Amino acid sequence: MITTRRRDWAGPAAFVVLASLLAAAPSVSSTTSTYASAAVRDQAVGTAPLTRVGLATAQGAYPQTYSVTGLTPGSSTDLLVSLQNDGSSGTSAIDVDLSTATSTSLDTDTTNGLQVRVDRCATAWEQPLAGGPATCVSASSVLLGSTPLATATGSSPDAQLTSGLSAFTVGGIDHVRLRFSLPNTAPGGWASLTSVPTLSIWGVGRPSAPTSVSAAAGDAQSTITWGGPVWTYGYSVSYTATASPGGATCTTLSTSCVLTGLVNGIVYSVSVTATNTWGTGAASTVVTIPYPASVMSSGPGMSLWLDGADAATMLASSSCTGTVATTGVGIGCWKDKSSVGENFIQASAGARPVVGSIGSLGATTFTSSSTQVLTSVDAMDTYQAVFIVATPGTTPSGYNYLFAQAGGSDFSVRLNGSPSTTFSAGNGNDWAYGTGNPAANWTNSAQAANPVTGVTQVVTAASSSARTFSASVSSSFASQGFTRGMLGPVGEVITFRGVGTTAQRRLVENYLSRKWAVTITPDQPTSVTAGVASTTSVTAGWTAASYDGGSAVTAYRATASPGGAFCTTSGATTCTITGLTHSTTYTVTVAATNSVGTGPSSAASANVTP
């Protein structure tokens, strides 16, 4: 910031502004102001820090105010102020402004009222008598020429200085004289009038950070909204929102813009800055996580979305109102973000999971597998497909029931942790794990094939048909003598009333994989072609999977149908399938493999007949 200090017999006093007083007939008094620096507005000039000061209304937080009375026609009084920039950076311009708290003829008469003049001296002014004439014995310059106070107070600022001051740079000091005078033509009786002028001098700077920044995530995009900066210094501003990682930006003159080209599931930190003539100010930030909104909506049948990464959805009260639960505090309500509004609650304080985390994101953490459970407020809802992010712990039973029928053992989505080493086969009610048992079930997590406790998993499963029941996160099986509840954090639960298409499921799985940093199988390759290579072979080509699941693709397998003949590569996107039957029509599909396993197959190629 830039401060003012007195330059007289007492020596400099940092952060203090003192005005010399007139000891003769005129009476001139002043205030003493102090202030401290703050972020961004780290320059201040004279008595005004860089606060809410603009071209229309100068409002220095600590202006220098004088009371001038007793001046006779033709007389004047000089007040001295030293400007010092003791901030961390310079300023490009300094504004000088005068206002008045009174409205006597001294303040309002442009002909006979008070005149004000502001001058600078290269060295300290010499003033034998406080308030008397001050003389510059070195080079001087005019900062504000003699101006009626009435005119000066009618505009803001009265002068903007962009050269000729040392206070533009850190450590620079300027010696300033402020002279109030009464014209010879003023009525003699005006000596009894009082004027209370205020001098504000501030360094013009960059805008402060935008306020109240929020984000509304969408499909591969996010709408960022904010309030204007507290300090703009009267200049128009533009705004830029920048997403990291990736660097996507949007720029606007309004207070909202849409960041596009984002990737669903990536956790973005978005910074919003304001820019005026003098540069770009500090940033305000917000986190946003785009998601596949076209799939995760009521249209495709989404019936539940519990998101631990959204702290606002985990509340301390089971009424689902009031304060947000904080880390380590029991969760009385986990609010549903879907349009269904199927909140999951726990009225008993002793049976509540607590706020925890998976990586850097929040999660609902179950510290007891036998007592803690959240139950849906909806007695009956319909579920078929379930997507869950969780880190299972070691339970006495070897099971971690993630999503289940409340109070019963049917329709459960469970992980087998230590001491068990395999998943149970599906039965008439439970969702199974592995591949194809039942046929409607699927999973893309390596741990879902070989469960490992303490490792975060993305588990996706489906029942053979839609089921209707009262649901719970974790389970209340303790009443039946079991200890099969969840032990550890659950980050996200998403359910649908149907299974959807492979492409729809992959959009949800990829979103969860990126968001929670869990490796899954690769996406399906695209644009598969098949051409005749010989009378018994075809050459297949394809475009690599758009998402590798978080682990590099190590192999592709192209399979001909009918018959199942195939060829493989270690990363190349073409290979030749041999051993085919001449004059038989085939199609080709391709699947990618990474360290987790093999992902879904591509759409079939056009027919090809070798």
Side-chain angles (χ1 to χ4, degrees):
M1 69 180 176
I2 300 173
T3 64
T4 67
R5 64 181 188 178
R6 181 177 176 175
R7 298 291 291 179
D8 59 13
W9 315 280
F15 304 100
V16 176
V17 180
L18 295 177
S20 303
L21 305 183
L22 183 62
S27 173
V28 183
S29 60
S30 68
T31 59
T32 298
S33 303
T34 62
Y35 53 89
S37 62
V40 179
R41 54 188 197 280
D42 55 2
Q43 305 107 222
V45 180
T47 55
L50 288 180
T51 54
R52 290 176 286 266
V53 182
L55 293 177
T57 55
Q59 299 175 352
Y62 297 98
Q64 181 63 42
T65 300
Y66 307 95
S67 179
V68 180
T69 187
L71 282 178
T72 59
S75 65
S76 64
T77 183
D78 289 349
L79 303 166
L80 303 183
V81 174
S82 290
L83 311 182
Q84 181 182 17
N85 184 335
D86 62 355
S88 59
S89 62
T91 182
S92 301
I94 291 175
D95 284 356
V96 178
D97 187 67
L98 284 132
S99 60
T100 180
T102 50
S103 58
T104 69
S105 296
L106 297 179
D107 308 301
T108 61
D109 192 304
T110 58
T111 302
N112 296 318
L114 280 180
Q115 302 281 313
V116 61
R117 175 187 173 103
V118 183
D119 298 277
R120 172 188 179 272
C121 185
T123 58
W125 293 86
E126 293 189 359
Q127 188 181 42
L129 180 65
T135 304
C136 179
V137 296
S138 59
S140 65
S141 57
V142 177
L143 303 185
L144 176 65
S146 184
T147 303
L149 183 59
T151 301
T153 57
S155 62
S156 178
D158 298 309
Q160 184 175 93
L161 310 170
T162 57
S163 63
L165 290 180
S166 299
F168 290 136
T169 60
V170 176
I173 297 176
D174 292 290
H175 309 283
V176 175
R177 180 188 68 183
L178 180 68
R179 172 169 287 176
F180 291 105
S181 61
L182 194 63
N184 289 322
T185 56
W190 285 14
S192 63
L193 300 179
T194 299
S195 175
V196 183
T198 294
L199 172 68
S200 296
I201 306 178
W202 64 90
V204 177
R206 306 178 303 271
S208 57
T211 58
S212 304
V213 180
S214 62
D219 200 336
Q221 66 180 37
S222 186
T223 301
I224 313 300
T225 304
W226 57 89
V230 175
W231 302 285
T232 65
Y233 310 105
Y235 295 90
S236 61
V237 296
S238 63
Y239 301 95
T240 299
T242 305
S244 178
T249 64
C250 57
T251 300
T252 181
L253 298 177
S254 66
T255 54
S256 180
C257 66
V258 180
L259 287 166
T260 58
L262 306 181
V263 177
N264 290 334
I266 296 294
V267 180
Y268 290 96
S269 175
V270 178
S271 63
V272 182
T273 57
T275 301
N276 66 7
T277 301
W278 306 104
T280 299
S284 292
T285 59
V286 68
V287 171
T288 188
I289 309 174
Y291 67 99
S294 59
V295 175
M296 292 173 58
S297 66
S298 58
M302 186 170 75
S303 54
L304 177 66
W305 183 11
L306 303 177
D307 183 7
D310 186 347
T313 66
M314 296 185 288
L315 305 180
S317 171
S318 60
S319 68
C320 297
T321 59
T323 59
V324 173
T326 54
T327 302
V329 173
I331 299 171
C333 172
W334 197 358
K335 295 190 71 173
D336 179 14
K337 293 176 66 173
S338 80
S339 60
V340 176
E342 187 185 353
N343 302 329
F344 278 60
I345 65 171
Q346 177 52 259
S348 174
R352 292 174 177 172
V354 299
V355 177
S357 63
I358 295 178
S360 62
L361 302 179
T364 294
T365 300
F366 296 84
T367 59
S368 170
S369 63
S370 60
T371 61
Q372 294 178 349
V373 64
L374 293 172
T375 304
S376 171
V377 296
D378 189 346
M380 300 295 284
D381 206 341
T382 301
Y383 313 92
Q384 184 170 8
V386 184
F387 301 75
I388 302 172
V389 175
T391 310
T394 301
T395 65
S397 67
Y399 295 101
N400 276 269
Y401 277 65
L402 306 178
F403 186 80
Q405 181 179 6
S409 58
D410 291 341
F411 312 132
S412 60
V413 178
R414 67 178 183 265
L415 292 174
N416 294 1
S418 178
S420 299
T421 57
T422 60
F423 286 108
S424 301
N427 56 41
N429 292 326
D430 289 349
W431 280 292
Y433 307 95
T435 56
N437 184 12
N441 174 72
W442 70 91
T443 183
N444 290 309
S445 159
Q447 293 79 28
N450 297 288
V452 179
T453 56
V455 176
T456 302
Q457 307 171 27
V458 173
V459 177
T460 62
S463 65
S464 56
S465 62
R467 309 289 187 177
T468 301
F469 53 86
S470 177
S472 66
V473 179
S474 187
S475 75
S476 53
F477 290 165
S479 62
Q480 301 181 20
F482 297 102
T483 53
R484 294 186 174 185
M486 174 63 189
L487 185 64
V490 175
E492 200 154 353
V493 180
I494 300 169
T495 69
F496 291 84
R497 295 188 174 106
V499 297
T501 65
T502 298
Q504 289 174 328
R505 295 194 298 268
R506 284 300 302 193
L507 287 173
V508 178
E509 292 159 355
N510 291 354
Y511 154 74
L512 294 173
S513 169
R514 290 186 175 103
K515 178 176 178 177
W516 298 95
V518 178
T519 302
I520 62 173
T521 58
D523 270 352
Q524 61 269 42
T526 59
S527 304
V528 178
T529 61
V532 174
S534 71
T535 57
T536 58
S537 63
V538 298
T539 297
W542 57 90
T543 300
S546 59
Y547 177 50
D548 63 10
S551 177
V553 171
T554 56
Y556 288 100
R557 176 170 171 149
T559 304
S561 178
F566 66 90
C567 61
T568 61
T569 78
S570 58
T573 56
T574 184
C575 66
T576 299
I577 303 173
T578 60
L580 303 180
T581 301
H582 178 57
S583 297
T584 298
T585 298
Y586 294 91
T587 58
V588 175
T589 58
V590 183
T593 300
N594 64 6
S595 61
V596 170
T598 301
S601 295
S602 68
S605 70
N607 291 339
V608 60
T609 304

